[in-house]
Amino acid sequence: MRRPDRPRTPRERRWRGSGQGPQPSPALLVALVLACLTLMTLDQAGDSSPLEPARRAAGEVFGPVEVAASTAIRPFTGVSDWFRSRDAMQDDLIALQAENSRLKSDLATQGYDRNRLEEYDGLTAAARDLGYDLVPARVVGLGPSQSFSSTVTIDAGSDAGIHPDLTVINNDGLVGRVLRVTRTTATVLLIVDSDSVVGGRVGESMEVGFLHGRGVLGQDGRLDLELVDQTAVPAKHDSVVTWGSEAGGPYVSGVPVGRVTSVYSSLRETSTRAVIDPYVDFGALDLVGVVVPSGTPSDRAVIESDGDLR
Amino acid sequence: MNALRAAVAAAAVGVALVLQVSVFPHLAWDGIVPDLCLLVVVGAALTRGPQFAMVLGFGAGVVLDLAPPADHVAGRWALALVLVGYVAGRVRQDVRPSAGTVLATVAASSFVGTSVFALSGLLLGDPALGVPQLLEVIVLALVWDLLLTPLVLPAVMTLFRRLEPDRSLA
């Protein structure tokens, strides 16, 4: 409208004549915006939301496609590593990294393990309960940071014996918990999400508290620990492990989460807040394990508590 | 023709969504990936006008809200992309948009889209993030979208241009 019209071809004239001119119809805009607001209102209910079946249906459709896409590009994401060293060296490196992670997590839970042994000495039944099975899975989809929520899709679902509220870990420590499942995929809420709350325990002092995610994924992906006992001050580099809840859900106990990097105490709020640097690198998640009760039927090999494959 | 157009548009949105969720996280920048679905809606708006783009934006937004890793309140991306369709559709239709126009439209749309999403989150109390962090994400997403524009928009616009109804009627 600002520039003079050039002569129109018949095609363009017909196009404008068909009612699809550049002037958008306000009625359509209002209708669509109202539809969006209706969706938001319906979905506010959380877990009992009427949109949950629709989410599941979308998951059944897009889940397998995400798995396929991510399998298709996996060779390419590994290309740079493949060029860097020969296969044998690569295998050594993977083995060493795994051993290093295991030693680090042993070290991180040492204080916790010692205290736990002292406190629960004689309760041998508890030791049996700590043996869990792991269902291995790969991360096939990562929610964009533009959505301001930290969730990932993994390629194991109800067929693999997974159901909501199971703990997800990897080599380095706690990753998150399962929110919802489809037949072949599951959505995992990462512990750095701002909605995530994990019961944590400082390994060295056995003080309990709550870990809140900050909702940031990258380098500043941190957790805030609020201790229940406000007189307890965790030391820098203390490690924090999960406390666990009854029947192991949603988080099993004794999984390393991160270590204390700094401690703030506010007189006005009369609380101590520690900042935790998680052991897991959430920007580079790939292989994870879902903690399932022993003997869960699954469509894939399950890693048993003694390290065997079943 | 309408059914074919709808099918092709749905396929474009589906491909964009899967790329955005499964492929681009490997290149992501603090978890921020290009909004490919938003680029498809902008491409539709520049070739087919606001009506089509708003409807497509609604569809793409609902899929983004429901498909697996998403866990926010449904309808937020739908609202953002309907408004993106409206804004991008205001660009003049009867001349082919120049490269500059396309880039400016993408920048404006990306800003509007991510901001509307962030603001709806603030209103619903969904993300609980500070404004500086929101702004950082909005700006990084805008840069990503501009970088991807030369690769994505020509293809999307050619696709939607091919689907003009009168060509098949003639």
Side-chain angles (χ1 to χ4, degrees):
Chain A
M1 271 140 277
R2 284 154 291 145
R3 276 178 278 179
D5 279 346
R6 73 186 160 112
R8 289 214 192 102
T9 62
R11 194 173 85 196
E12 277 167 346
R13 203 168 297 131
R14 205 174 311 158
W15 150 269
R16 297 200 73 172
S18 68
Q20 296 210 358
Q23 281 309 316
S25 106
L28 180 68
L29 179 65
V30 170
L32 288 175
V33 167
L34 284 181
C36 298
L37 296 180
T38 312
L39 277 180
M40 287 185 210
T41 319
L42 283 177
D43 203 29
Q44 276 289 50
D47 278 349
S48 56
S49 145
L51 288 175
E52 216 48 39
R55 275 189 201 279
R56 194 184 162 109
E60 298 286 5
V61 175
F62 279 97
V65 186
E66 283 173 23
V67 173
S70 152
T71 313
I73 61 152
R74 186 153 293 132
F76 301 101
T77 58
V79 161
S80 53
D81 296 341
W82 190 79
F83 278 117
R84 220 172 289 144
S85 60
R86 286 195 314 230
D87 286 2
M89 287 170 74
Q90 194 69 27
D91 288 346
D92 285 354
L93 189 65
I94 289 167
L96 287 174
Q97 273 173 342
E99 193 182 352
N100 193 26
S101 299
R102 192 176 54 77
L103 290 174
K104 268 203 285 194
S105 82
D106 279 356
L107 185 67
T109 55
Q110 200 182 32
Y112 174 72
D113 287 342
R114 195 182 54 232
N115 285 326
R116 197 183 58 208
L117 276 177
E118 280 168 8
E119 286 188 14
Y120 296 106
D121 198 18
L123 288 178
T124 45
R128 248 202 321 278
D129 283 349
L130 281 174
Y132 295 103
D133 286 1
L134 281 183
V135 174
R138 280 183 185 272
V139 171
V140 295
L142 198 70
S145 285
Q146 288 102 309
S147 292
F148 304 108
S149 62
S150 312
T151 47
V152 297
T153 314
I154 57 173
D155 66 351
S158 52
D159 283 355
I162 293 177
H163 58 81
D165 283 341
L166 289 175
T167 314
V168 182
I169 61 173
N170 77 356
N171 252 349
D172 299 316
L174 184 66
V175 171
R177 69 181 162 94
V178 177
L179 276 181
R180 62 178 70 86
V181 293
T182 69
R183 264 182 336 97
T184 52
T185 60
T187 305
V188 175
L189 180 74
L190 304 181
I191 54 171
V192 286
D193 187 274
S194 48
D195 279 346
S196 161
V197 182
V198 186
R201 187 193 283 283
V202 180
E204 274 71 9
S205 63
M206 301 298 273
E207 290 294 340
V208 293
F210 294 97
L211 292 154
H212 299 265
R214 284 198 180 168
V216 185
L217 199 63
Q219 291 296 314
D220 338 309
R222 296 275 191 277
L223 302 163
D224 288 327
L225 172 70
E226 270 179 56
L227 290 173
V228 173
D229 175 1
Q230 281 138 19
T231 56
V233 179
K236 201 175 175 181
H237 300 312
D238 272 6
S239 60
V240 176
V241 299
T242 54
W243 226 33
S245 31
E246 256 173 78
Y251 295 105
V252 296
S253 59
V255 181
V257 180
R259 66 199 169 88
V260 177
T261 55
S262 47
V263 181
Y264 300 95
S265 80
S266 137
L267 283 176
R268 201 170 39 181
E269 293 164 31
T270 62
S271 65
T272 310
R273 188 170 61 87
V275 179
I276 312 293
D277 181 17
Y279 291 125
V280 174
D281 178 3
F282 289 98
L285 274 181
D286 188 21
L287 190 64
V288 297
V290 184
V291 179
V292 293
S294 287
T296 304
S298 176
D299 63 347
R300 62 187 74 199
V302 174
I303 304 165
E304 292 196 307
S305 48
D306 52 8
D308 286 349
L309 278 179
R310 170 164 63 84
Chain B
M1 188 57 201
N2 249 333
L4 174 66
R5 207 198 312 163
V8 169
V13 167
V15 169
L17 176 79
V18 170
L19 287 178
Q20 185 172 332
V21 161
S22 291
V23 177
F24 276 95
H26 292 286
L27 307 168
W29 204 346
D30 274 5
I32 299 169
V33 295
D35 283 308
L36 293 176
C37 291
L38 184 139
L39 293 182
V40 170
V41 174
V42 173
L46 287 175
T47 44
R48 307 304 315 268
Q51 313 270 77
F52 179 67
M54 284 195 292
V55 175
L56 181 67
F58 180 74
V62 168
V63 170
L64 261 181
D65 285 328
L66 296 181
D71 186 48
H72 48 266
V73 173
R76 288 174 60 197
W77 269 122
L79 178 64
L81 291 186
V82 165
L83 295 180
V84 162
Y86 179 80
V87 169
R90 301 311 299 252
V91 175
R92 201 180 160 78
Q93 295 298 302
D94 47 357
V95 275
R96 244 172 198 269
S98 66
T101 319
V102 172
L103 279 177
T105 315
V106 166
S109 304
S110 169
F111 182 78
V112 168
T114 325
S115 306
V116 167
F117 185 85
L119 287 177
S120 65
L122 284 181
L123 287 180
L124 294 168
D126 216 12
L129 267 190
V131 173
Q133 281 158 316
L134 295 183
L135 278 178
E136 189 188 325
V137 170
I138 290 170
V139 170
L140 284 178
L142 199 153
V143 172
W144 248 135
D145 291 345
L146 284 181
L147 283 177
L148 262 271
T149 301
L151 301 176
V152 175
L153 270 193
V156 171
M157 288 171 74
T158 316
L159 178 73
F160 285 120
R161 241 186 260 285
R162 290 258 171 89
L163 287 171
E164 273 178 22
D166 26 49
R167 184 164 293 182
S168 74
L169 291 175

